[in-house]
Amino acid sequence: MENNPPILKLKITFIEKVFNTLGFVSFAGVIFYIIFTWSSIPSQIPGHYNASGEVTRWGGREELFIPLAIGLLLWIGMTILERFPHLFN
């Protein structure tokens, strides 16, 4: 017996469209904020804090793009999975 899941064609609801739009606008806002304030961001920024709140690692301001890249990859992946729910259910 084969275990083929049914192919679902779900329509995106209004509230899903609203949340997708809010997420995209927020993400784009953070990117534009970093770009427009780049010259005022110090060249060294805290990269890690210990439990006491003390900085234990310093990094370059370029590291601000790492969480943005991870967020972009996650957003793309989740958008693809949202379109094909039968592939990951």
Side-chain angles (χ1 to χ4, degrees):
M1 180 173 150
E2 293 184 33
N3 190 10
N4 293 331
I7 296 177
L8 303 172
K9 297 195 188 284
L10 303 174
K11 292 185 179 185
I12 298 175
T13 64
F14 175 74
I15 196 73
E16 288 172 330
K17 288 179 184 178
V18 169
F19 283 130
N20 285 341
T21 303
L22 284 174
F24 178 76
V25 169
S26 298
F27 191 74
V30 170
I31 291 172
F32 286 126
Y33 178 77
I34 289 175
I35 290 171
F36 290 128
T37 61
W38 188 256
S39 61
S40 64
I41 298 173
S43 61
Q44 293 290 312
I45 59 172
H48 186 266
Y49 296 90
N50 63 14
S52 301
E54 300 165 343
V55 177
T56 58
R57 186 182 69 81
W58 291 86
R61 63 183 172 184
E62 298 80 18
E63 291 182 17
L64 292 173
F65 289 107
I66 294 172
L68 292 177
I70 292 170
L72 180 63
L73 289 173
L74 286 172
W75 180 68
I76 290 170
M78 293 303 290
T79 301
I80 292 170
L81 287 176
E82 183 180 31
R83 305 269 189 254
F84 306 102
H86 59 278
L87 296 178
F88 70 94
N89 190 3

